[in-house]
C-alpha cells in the first residue's frame, strides 16, 4: 500500500536539528500508531525510514529481514539499489532511502508483509506481519512465453503454455501482478486458485464452472440453478478467456436466466465470479445477423426492439410475471396479443420465432401468427387442441403436436422455396412454396400475433434471410455446471 509522507518544514532541516531528532527515533517507534507514517529525521545517506515490525500476535518481529526495492523492479537487474536490513530484538530497523516510490518486503519465519511507500522526507512506519500462502492461478489468453511479475518484489516468471503460474509464500494481502507492464491486476493469495484473462482488464476471476453448450452465434437464454451459480458479479468467458456478452436475470434463491451469445461452433464456456462489478454488454443484441425485430419483455418491459433495427411491436396484451421467465406478455382468451406494423420483411427469405405458452390448451387454432390479407393469401400458424395448424399457399395442414401447458418454441421460416414450421427443435410441417408466390408481401397487411389469445409470449424474433428453423425453435437450455479443472 502506498504511504503519503508528511515533509518537514524548512526550519527543521538544519543538520544539528536532524541529528537530535535521530536520537529520538527509537522512542517514537515505541508509540507509533499501526501502519502510520510521518516526518521525522533525515541523514546524509538519504531519507530515514524508521520501521517497527510486529508479528500477527503483536510480539516484536525480532531479526525480521527487510528488503526495500524500487516499486517497479520486477527482477534482480536493479538489485544494486536494493536496501537490506535486519530488525533488532524489538523489531526495529532504520533504512536510508532515496526519494521515490519504494516497496518494502518484510519476512520473519512463515510470516511476511509488503508495503509501498513514497519517500521524500524522513518517516515512521509500523507493520504487522501476515500469514503467507502461495499466489497461484491460471492466465488465460495466449499466455505462453509471456512474463508475469510482482512489481517491487523483484520476482517474475515465464508463463507456461497451460497458463499456470505460482509464487510461493506470499503474504495474504492485496498484491500487484503485472503482465510485461501492459496489464496489471490486484490479487490476494487464496486457498483456491485465481484466474486472470488478458482480455479482461483488472478483473480477477474465481470459482469457475464449465458448461457444455452448442454455440450458434444467436442470442439465446439458458437456465442455471441458483445453487450452482459461482456468485455475483459474474463473467462468462470462452476457453481462451475472451468475455462473452451476458445479461443475468432471476433473483437469488431461484433459477437464474442467462442471456448470451455463444459463437458458432463453440462447445464450452466458463462462468466465473469476479472481483469487479460487470454491467450488461450492449453488443448482446446485434442486427448484423439479419434480425429485424427482437422483443423480450423481461429485458425491456417497454417492448422496444432490442436489435435496434427499426422493428416495432404494438401490444394489446398485458404484462404478467411468470415464475420462471419473469415479465411476459399475456393475452386472455378471445383477445389479440398485438401486431407487428414494422419489421416483417416484404421480400426474400424470413423467419419468425416465438417462445410461448398456452393458457387454454384445449382450444384449437389460437393463431400464433397471422400474416396475410383478408382474402386468405399469406401464412397463418395456429396452436392448441393438441395440434399444430398451418394455412399457406391455399393449403390447410394440421399435425399432431401437444405442448400442453409447457413453454415451447415455434419458428416459421421460408427459405425462398419451402415453408418450414419447427417446434422445440424439430420440423413439424414442410411445404414447397415457389418464390413467385411470395416474392412481394407488401399486400399482406394483417400482421397480428396471438390472435385469439389464451397464451403467454416471452420473446418474438423476426429475421430476414435464411436461418435454420430447428436451431431457432430449440427448447431453453438448462446449463449443468461443473468445476473447471486446473491445467
Amino acid at each position: 500500500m502506498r504511504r503519503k509522507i508528511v515533509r518537514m518544514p524548512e526550519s527543521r532541516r538544519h543538520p544539528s536539528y536532524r541529528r537530535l531528532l535521530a536520537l529520538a527515533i527509537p522512542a517514537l517507534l515505541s508509540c507509533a500508531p499501526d501502519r502510520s507514517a510521518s516526518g521525522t529525521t533525515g541523514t546524509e545517506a538519504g531519507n530515514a525510514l524508521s520501521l517497527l515490525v510486529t508479528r500477527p500476535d503483536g510480539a516484536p518481529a525480532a531479526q525480521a529481514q527487510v528488503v526495500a526495492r524500487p516499486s517497479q523492479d520486477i527482477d534482480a537487474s536493479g538489485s544494486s539499489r536494493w536496501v537490506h536490513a535486519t530488525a533488532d530484538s524489538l523489531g526495529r530497523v532504520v533504512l536510508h532511502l532515496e526519494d521515490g516510490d519504494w516497496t518494502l518486503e518484510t519476512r520473519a519465519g512463515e510470516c511476511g508483509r509488503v508495503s509501498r511507500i513514497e519517500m521524500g522526507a524522513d518517516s515512521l512506519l509500523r507493520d504487522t506481519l501476515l500469514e503467507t500462502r502461495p499466489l497461484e492461478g491460471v492466465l488465460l489468453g495466449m499466455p505462453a512465453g509471456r512474463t508475469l511479475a510482482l512489481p517491487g518484489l523483484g520476482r517474475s516468471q515465464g508463463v507456461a503454455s497451460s497458463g499456470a503460474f505460482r509464487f510461493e509464500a506470499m503474504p495474504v494481502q492485496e498484491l500487484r501482478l503485472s503482465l510485461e507492464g501492459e496489464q496489471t491486476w490486484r490479487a490476494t493469495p487464496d486457498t483456491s486458485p485465481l484466474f486472470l484473462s488478458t482480455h479482461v482488464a483488472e478483473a480477477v476471476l474465481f470459482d469457475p464452472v464449465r458448461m457444455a453448450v452448442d454455440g450458434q452465434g444467436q442470442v439465446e437464454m439458458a437456465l442455471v440453478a441458483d445453487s450452482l451459480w459461482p456468485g455475483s458479479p459474474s463473467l462468462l468467458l470462452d476457453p481462451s478467456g475472451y468475455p462473452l456478452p451476458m445479461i443475468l436475470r432471476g433473483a437469488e434463491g431461484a433459477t437464474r436466466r442467462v442471456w448470451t451469445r455463444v459463437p458458432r461452433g463453440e462447445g464450452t464456456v466458463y462462468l466465473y465470479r469476479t472481483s469487479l462489478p460487470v454491467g450488461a454488454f450492449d453488443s448482446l443484441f446485434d442486427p448484423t445477423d439479419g434480425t429485424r425485430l427482437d422483443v423480450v419483455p423481461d429485458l425491456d418491459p417497454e417492448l422496444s426492439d432490442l436489435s435496434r433495427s427499426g422493428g416495432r411491436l404494438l401490444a394489446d396484451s398485458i404484462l404478467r410475471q411468470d415464475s420462471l421467465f419473469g415479465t411476459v406478455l399475456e393475452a386472455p382468451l378471445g383477445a389479440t396479443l398485438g401486431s407487428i406494423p414494422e419489421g416483417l420483411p416484404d421480400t426474400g427469405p424470413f423467419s419468425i420465432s416465438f417462445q410461448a405458452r398456452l393458457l387454454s390448451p384445449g382450444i384449437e387454432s389460437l393463431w400464433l401468427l397471422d400474416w396475410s390479407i383478408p382474402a386468405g393469401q399469406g401464412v397463418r400458424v395456429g396452436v392448441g387442441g393438441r395440434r399444430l395448424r398451418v394455412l399457406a399457399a391455399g393449403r390447410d395442414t394440421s399435425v399432431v403436436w401437444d405442448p400442453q401447458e409447457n413453454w415451447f418454441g415455434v419458428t416459421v421460416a421460408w427459405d425462398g422455396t419451402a415453408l418450414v414450421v419447427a417446434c422445440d427443435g424439430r420440423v413439424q410441417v414442410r411445404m414447397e412454396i415457389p418464390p413467385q408466390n411470395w416474392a412481394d408481401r407488401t399486400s399482406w397487411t394483417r400482421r397480428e400475433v396471438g390472435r385469439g389469445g389464451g397464451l403467454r409470449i416471452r420473446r418474438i424474433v423476426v429475421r430476414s434471410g435464411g436461418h435454420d428453423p430447428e436451431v431457432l425453435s430449440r427448447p431453453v437450455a438448462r446449463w449443468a455446471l461443473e468445476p473447471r479443472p486446473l491445467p
Side-chain angles (χ1 to χ4, degrees):
M1 179 178 294
R2 186 190 299 269
R3 295 296 174 196
K4 183 177 180 180
I5 303 303
V6 179
R7 295 184 180 274
M8 293 172 54
E10 292 294 333
S11 61
R12 298 188 178 183
R13 295 190 180 182
H14 191 277
S16 61
Y17 183 81
R18 296 168 66 178
R19 283 194 292 272
L20 287 173
L21 283 181
L23 298 175
I25 288 176
L28 290 171
L29 277 171
S30 66
C31 60
D34 186 45
R35 306 288 296 158
S36 68
S38 61
T40 56
T41 73
T43 70
E44 297 302 326
N47 307 304
L49 172 61
S50 301
L51 177 66
L52 177 63
V53 185
T54 57
R55 293 184 175 274
D57 60 2
Q63 307 304 308
Q65 301 298 306
V66 182
V67 182
R69 303 179 181 90
S71 290
Q72 297 307 315
D73 281 12
I74 62 172
D75 53 36
S77 60
S79 60
S80 60
R81 294 186 62 201
W82 297 358
V83 179
H84 299 258
T86 301
D88 63 15
S89 61
L90 297 179
R92 302 174 301 186
V93 64
V94 177
L95 302 172
H96 301 288
L97 305 175
E98 302 171 1
D99 288 358
D101 192 0
W102 292 82
T103 296
L104 305 181
E105 181 181 8
T106 306
R107 298 277 178 173
E110 296 182 356
C111 298
R113 185 98 196 195
V114 173
S115 299
R116 191 173 175 186
I117 190 166
E118 186 173 346
M119 296 299 297
D122 302 333
S123 64
L124 300 174
L125 182 64
R126 182 170 181 170
D127 264 344
T128 299
L129 300 183
L130 304 167
E131 65 173 303
T132 58
R133 294 176 186 160
L135 177 60
E136 62 178 331
V138 177
L139 179 64
L140 308 170
M142 299 178 291
R146 307 192 72 179
T147 300
L148 193 64
L150 295 170
L153 297 180
R155 292 174 179 79
S156 61
Q157 60 179 247
V159 181
S161 58
S162 65
F165 63 87
R166 181 183 175 99
F167 293 96
E168 298 289 350
M170 302 308 301
V172 181
Q173 65 181 105
E174 188 177 80
L175 302 170
R176 289 186 302 155
L177 278 163
S178 175
L179 181 64
E180 299 178 349
E182 299 173 1
Q183 290 179 272
T184 301
W185 298 268
R186 295 186 178 275
T188 301
D190 203 341
T191 53
S192 59
L194 55 88
F195 291 76
L196 311 173
S197 172
T198 59
H199 303 295
V200 185
E202 299 183 353
V204 179
L205 312 171
F206 308 91
D207 306 324
V209 288
R210 178 172 58 186
M211 292 156 286
V213 298
D214 181 14
Q216 295 292 330
Q218 302 283 353
V219 176
E220 297 182 277
M221 191 201 72
L223 298 174
V224 179
D226 183 72
S227 60
L228 300 177
W229 196 261
S232 295
S234 298
L235 269 178
L236 189 68
L237 306 183
D238 69 12
S240 69
Y242 192 83
L244 302 177
M246 180 181 74
I247 297 177
L248 177 64
R249 286 290 186 270
E252 185 175 350
T255 301
R256 304 293 183 107
R257 301 185 295 279
V258 183
W259 290 89
T260 186
R261 183 207 303 269
V262 180
R264 182 179 296 276
E266 187 63 71
T268 304
V269 295
Y270 295 90
L271 189 64
Y272 298 82
R273 178 172 58 87
T274 179
S275 61
L276 296 178
V278 178
F281 285 77
D282 290 337
S283 60
L284 178 58
F285 291 88
D286 185 353
T288 59
D289 61 2
T291 302
R292 303 286 295 273
L293 172 71
D294 201 334
V295 173
V296 182
D298 192 43
L299 298 182
D300 183 2
E302 297 297 321
L303 308 181
S304 61
D305 173 22
L306 295 176
S307 75
R308 302 182 296 276
S309 301
R312 188 160 56 101
L313 171 69
L314 292 180
D316 298 324
S317 50
I318 56 178
L319 295 175
R320 294 289 192 192
Q321 287 299 309
D322 184 83
S323 59
L324 188 59
F325 294 109
T327 303
V328 298
L329 283 171
E330 181 177 305
L333 194 63
T336 296
L337 190 139
S339 63
I340 304 176
E342 298 176 43
L344 293 172
D346 289 327
T347 60
F350 66 86
S351 67
I352 307 170
S353 301
F354 302 88
Q355 295 289 330
R357 173 190 171 196
L358 293 174
L359 300 177
S360 304
I363 306 298
E364 294 185 14
S365 297
L366 299 172
W367 297 108
L368 200 60
L369 173 67
D370 187 350
W371 186 17
S372 62
I373 60 176
Q377 185 180 3
V379 57
R380 288 191 286 173
V381 177
V383 294
R386 299 183 178 180
R387 305 193 73 82
L388 172 72
R389 187 180 178 192
V390 180
L391 277 69
R395 284 170 278 180
D396 187 343
T397 302
S398 178
V399 297
V400 175
W401 180 66
D402 185 12
Q404 301 178 7
E405 295 186 27
N406 300 316
W407 284 94
F408 60 83
V410 169
T411 294
V412 182
W414 183 64
D415 62 6
T417 60
L419 174 69
V420 175
V421 180
C423 304
D424 288 336
R426 297 184 61 183
V427 173
Q428 298 290 341
V429 173
R430 179 184 178 89
M431 60 177 66
E432 301 299 321
I433 297 180
Q436 60 268 25
N437 289 28
W438 284 7
D440 183 357
R441 299 183 291 271
T442 54
S443 63
W444 298 8
T445 55
R446 178 180 288 162
R447 304 182 175 205
E448 297 179 343
V449 292
R451 187 160 69 87
L455 50 77
R456 284 183 170 181
I457 289 182
R458 63 179 183 83
R459 189 184 186 191
I460 301 174
V461 188
V462 179
R463 300 175 177 90
S464 61
H467 298 274
D468 187 341
E470 290 184 290
V471 169
L472 299 181
S473 69
R474 291 188 305 184
V476 173
R478 292 182 178 269
W479 283 353
L481 314 182
E482 60 182 40
R484 174 171 185 157
L486 289 177

